[in-house]
């Protein structure tokens, strides 16, 4: 019985120590900031709206960081790529978006 009590106390001390270390790591490296940087790096190369919409659908309700990053990226793309009221007497080539 004494052995079980001693083991239980040692285990609780171990858990408290590990919890303290994890808390210290989270203070040094805030997870949300680190996660946001990783997500931004991941979607940096995604430049087409259909792919971003697919990511948005996948992140909906499950990954708020990815969802926010996709929304921000989509706003940047749609703000740059639009054409309205193009009128021409003859044929014309129109390109929207960056040259590939």
């Amino acid at each position: 019985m004494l052995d079980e009590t001693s083991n239980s106390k040692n285990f609780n001390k171990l858990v408290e120590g590990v919890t303290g270390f994890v808390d210290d790591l989270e203070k040094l490296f805030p997870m949300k900031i680190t996660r946001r940087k990783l997500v931004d790096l991941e979607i940096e190369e995604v430049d087409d709206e259909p792919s971003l919409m697919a990511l948005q659908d996948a992140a909906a309700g499950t990954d708020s960081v990815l969802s926010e990053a996709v929304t921000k990226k989509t706003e940047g793309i749609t703000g740059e790529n639009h054409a309205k009221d193009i009128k021409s007497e003859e044929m014309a080539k129109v390109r929207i978006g960056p040259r590939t």
Side-chain angles (χ1 to χ4, degrees), residues 9 16 19 23 27-28 33 36 38 45 51 56 63 65 86 90 92:
K9 287 180 182 178
E16 288 174 12
T19 302
D23 290 343
K27 288 175 187 172
L28 287 172
I33 293 169
R36 182 170 307 279
L38 289 173
E45 297 298 318
S51 295
Q56 184 71 35
D63 190 337
V65 174
I86 298 174
E90 298 180 23

Side-chain angles (χ1 to χ4, degrees), residues 3-95:
D3 236 10
E4 287 179 32
T5 305
S6 178
N7 286 340
S8 178
K9 287 180 182 178
N10 287 337
F11 180 74
N12 287 337
K13 285 181 182 178
L14 177 65
V15 170
E16 288 174 12
V18 169
T19 302
F21 290 141
V22 170
D23 290 343
D24 291 343
L25 282 171
E26 287 178 345
K27 288 175 187 172
L28 287 172
F29 306 103
M31 189 60 175
K32 187 152 187 162
I33 293 169
T34 303
R35 175 130 168 68
R36 182 170 307 279
K37 287 178 183 178
L38 289 173
V39 167
D40 287 343
L41 283 172
E42 287 293 322
I43 67 168
E44 190 173 277
E45 297 298 318
V46 180
D47 286 331
D48 62 289
E49 197 169 356
S51 295
L52 288 169
M53 291 299 99
L55 282 172
Q56 184 71 35
D57 290 343
T62 59
D63 190 337
S64 63
V65 174
L66 178 59
S67 184
E68 290 171 18
V70 170
T71 299
K72 182 178 170 184
K73 178 86 176 203
T74 302
E75 288 171 356
I77 288 175
T78 56
E80 295 173 7
N81 298 332
H82 66 279
K84 183 177 179 182
D85 299 327
I86 298 174
K87 296 179 183 179
S88 174
E89 297 288 324
E90 298 180 23
M91 298 290 290
K93 290 183 179 180
V94 177
R95 181 175 49 86

